[in-house]
Amino acid sequence: MPARTLVISFGNAFDKAFLVEETDNGFRIIKTLELLSCGSRDAAVFFFKKLFSSQFEQTLNSSLSENQGSASVNEQVLIINDEEAALSAALKNLSASGEVLLLSIGAKKSLLGIGSFGRVELRSEVLGLGQGITKLLAARESLFIGRWMKESARFLDTENYLANKSIYPGVLPVDPLSLEMEQGAATEIVRFLKERFWPVSRSIPKRIILSGAVFAKSPKVYQSLMIFLNGFEPLGFCHILLDQKNALSAFGELLLSFDKRNFQIEDNLTSLGDLISLTHRKKISEELGELTLDLGLAQKQKIILKSRDLINIPFDNEQSGSLGMTLKKGVSFDGPISEINLYGGLLGLVVDARGRPLPCPQMDSESRVMVKKWHQDLGG
Amino acid sequence: MLSYLHRSFIKKPNAKICRLFNGSPKVSVGQRVLPHEIVGINYRRLGFRIFHLDQILSAPPDAAGTFLQKPIGSNVCKNEILAQRSSFWGLKKVVFRSPIDGVIKMMNEENGELVMEYPLQLITVPSGVEGKVVEVLPDRGVMIESSALIVKARLGLGLRREGILKVMQNREIPLTSPEINEDFAGKIVLAASSVGREALYKLITVKAKGLITGGIDWKVFNEIKSARGGIEDVGLTVLVLGGFGNLPIPQEHFSFLEKFDGRLVIASGIWKKLILPNPQKLELDNPLGRELLGSVSFPVVEPLKGFRVRLLSFGRFGVYGTIAESLGKVKVLESQIESLTIPVKLENGEMLDVPFENLEIID
């Protein structure tokens, strides 16, 4: 592999370029650039080469640190021709040590992938937040999208805003309402994927990877977790990782092109935190049990769990910890209830005691209060 | 950074315009034609009528045919005697006069039914455009080379249809069904405003051929769009110039399109385009009366100071303005997303920092 490679991915909303450097263990992304989809590969390569030139350094250097060096147009260009093959290679790498679930939401297509000790299965659907939104709008009433929003919006406005994204998939949500519309639509996409591809009886892997612009560009990381939590309704314990650089397919393509067996993609993902989800049908505020958290401090922390609560305990991934639970009758947990190892992350530990199946909000004012509380509980 | 690019008009000095008639051509390759000249003809069948002649004449079914006064295949005029039966030694006479102009097609002696066909209707297809015939497609149509302007729509559905453009003026209020009447039949309607559900169905009912509008609600559009996208047809070609929502056609575009009121235009929903044949020289050279970008072939472009833009952000979708500065700056938006923005001066004088991705350069 040459010292540096420019990996270009052609998306339906954005074309992305990653300037990658070879390291002892694998690869390191030096710079990332994203442009509205140029319509043709030649055009994208032309624009990226132009932007990676000195002019780019002058105008956009504010977001890049000084010591990262500049790219020249003579770097080797590696083009991702088959996005799914690249993602499959990335998932194979990620699942080398155990089972992992990948959820990726794109502009046109969304994907659910399962990797288990190097064996990979990918399922995709033409459904997304760009060209793929019309299928979602046709399949789901706008009230299904609106129910996940803190503020109420007119159905007509939600539909028209999202439908316009099928013409202009790169448009950014400039205000909180449009951001919520997109995140509500993403929640419904996750629910759609789960209904379509996930067998009811199957246990959820211990590691979950969230990929795609709607996750990566969420202004607050808890919003990415909320999309997954409300959409997938996971059970038991799982550790959430975020593809914040949106570089999963770039790493996959590099692995397909160069032999780097020691490279761990997981080191390049952002750890969001650990998630504990309880199953019950208890009434609001009813006691569910007790959670004992051991973070290596002098005293163990004890937390009383109440029905419908969403609890967030900050706990970064530099620390190690474990937890145990005592659950009341009628409350269950998918997995062992003691000695659960915690990994932590940007959010730390999140305990979802809202119950399963999730009490889905409606389009009334009470539900708006409930959704607002969920967001507040996670730091919104 | 890049923004979307929309080319409002595409100049086609040598456009090939297809005139389909599925019949006999009346012109030959190389011939110059004027808009009113007939380029082809066709005959359209208008259908049949069945009469129970046995019941009308009170005769047995197998004998009813013997009372016909004209042989099978004859042309008959309305009120002409078709069949006649005398009884009681000529004292009682039953006469059956033809209720239509048509041709006696057949007499079924098993059930006594008389089948009459309406006369074939001659369809003449005018050139519609001024130009030169460059190809004759046997039994189908002709290809005429002519100048044309193509208007690109953001959304479209329905087949390629041609008709006379009928302009509806009011930009402020959506087109409503009471405004639509039989005069709209065969016309391609240009509504300056958006169009609601009822008006759309009324246009289909009165057999308008097309609708060009600024905006349409997703739900209405989805209702008339078939499962196979814009390929199947509801009898009306719809072109949406702005996008989803209540969006009027921008004044400068409308003022230009207005000049084609009463002229033949061609709308294709599948290709999302409106063809304006034979524009004036000035119209073809510079439709919007301002300097255009030139030959950029990408759907995106680097925005520069002075470019006319359309905002794509929620709440401001369809608002027009001009880029005030070429240099962008990183800004945290109201949604808390960090983005590179560029200052835009809106038509009402307001200045706004807009993310590059939320701009569409209007050329």
Side-chain angles (χ1 to χ4, degrees), chain A residues 14-290:
Chain A
F14 291 96
D15 294 332
K16 292 185 286 272
F18 305 90
L19 186 65
V20 183
E21 184 179 64
E22 190 180 16
T23 62
D24 294 341
N25 295 330
F27 317 101
R28 188 172 70 93
I29 293 177
I30 308 168
K31 280 182 190 172
T32 306
L33 258 186
E34 202 175 66
L35 290 177
L36 278 179
S37 189
C38 297
S40 83
R41 292 177 172 223
D42 289 347
V45 174
F46 165 79
F47 280 119
F48 280 127
K49 283 189 169 178
K50 194 175 170 188
L51 284 170
F52 271 109
S53 69
S54 56
Q55 189 192 352
F56 167 71
E57 293 295 308
Q58 284 164 15
T59 53
L60 285 178
N61 223 4
S62 57
S63 56
L64 301 162
S65 68
E66 289 287 328
N67 58 2
Q68 284 172 337
S70 64
S72 92
V73 291
N74 299 318
E75 309 286 345
Q76 175 183 324
V77 177
L78 189 64
I79 286 171
I80 303 177
N81 287 312
D82 185 347
E83 188 81 15
E84 276 194 29
L87 276 175
S88 185
L91 193 54
K92 194 175 174 182
N93 177 284
L94 284 159
S95 65
S97 59
E99 212 180 21
V100 67
L101 167 71
L102 168 69
L103 268 175
S104 171
I105 298 180
K108 191 174 182 181
K109 223 177 192 186
S110 292
L111 183 146
L112 186 146
I114 274 283
S116 181
F117 298 100
R119 282 185 61 191
V120 168
E121 196 185 330
L122 286 182
R123 299 286 186 87
S124 62
E125 184 72 44
V126 181
L127 199 63
L129 288 172
Q131 294 89 337
I133 195 73
T134 48
K135 190 172 174 184
L136 181 78
L137 289 173
R140 297 275 213 261
E141 289 285 326
S142 54
L143 67 93
F144 280 95
I145 295 165
R147 64 186 171 160
W148 303 109
M149 292 164 60
K150 285 186 283 182
E151 303 296 334
S152 48
R154 290 199 319 153
F155 295 151
L156 208 64
D157 291 342
T158 308
E159 281 170 349
N160 287 338
Y161 171 71
L162 292 172
N164 276 323
K165 287 213 63 163
S166 66
I167 316 172
Y168 306 103
V171 164
L172 292 179
V174 289
D175 60 327
L177 201 60
S178 52
L179 177 72
E180 281 201 74
M181 287 174 187
E182 292 197 20
Q183 290 178 341
T187 307
E188 283 303 318
I189 290 174
V190 175
R191 291 180 84 83
F192 194 99
L193 290 175
K194 190 188 176 191
E195 281 165 24
R196 185 88 198 269
F197 300 129
W198 194 260
V200 181
S201 57
R202 187 165 187 170
S203 296
I204 287 166
K206 296 284 171 277
R207 279 181 305 153
I208 313 285
I209 293 151
L210 307 177
S211 182
V214 70
F215 293 117
K217 286 185 179 172
S218 283
K220 292 188 175 157
V221 282
Y222 87 85
Q223 291 164 334
S224 306
L225 181 78
M226 192 67 101
I227 294 169
F228 170 70
L229 209 53
N230 292 343
F232 211 85
E233 297 187 31
L235 302 172
F237 170 83
C238 52
H239 180 61
I240 316 284
L241 295 153
L242 179 66
D243 176 22
Q244 211 162 18
K245 291 174 187 159
N246 233 333
L248 219 50
S249 55
F251 285 129
E253 190 65 31
L254 284 163
L255 285 168
L256 286 173
S257 304
F258 307 107
D259 184 26
K260 282 280 179 190
R261 285 177 200 173
N262 296 330
F263 178 55
Q264 301 276 319
I265 293 181
E266 196 166 331
D267 298 342
N268 289 277
L269 301 179
T270 307
S271 183
L272 272 192
D274 303 305
L275 184 62
I276 297 281
S277 307
L278 302 174
T279 308
H280 68 86
R281 286 173 187 266
K282 302 265 185 194
K283 286 180 189 156
I284 191 160
S285 298
E286 219 174 309
E287 204 173 300
L288 304 176
E290 196 180 66

Side-chain angles (χ1 to χ4, degrees), chain B residues 329-342:
Chain B
K329 63 177 177 195
V330 177
K331 193 180 170 184
V332 177
L333 306 173
E334 223 184 301
S335 61
Q336 301 300 311
I337 291 176
E338 199 178 90
S339 170
L340 195 64
T341 61
I342 191 160

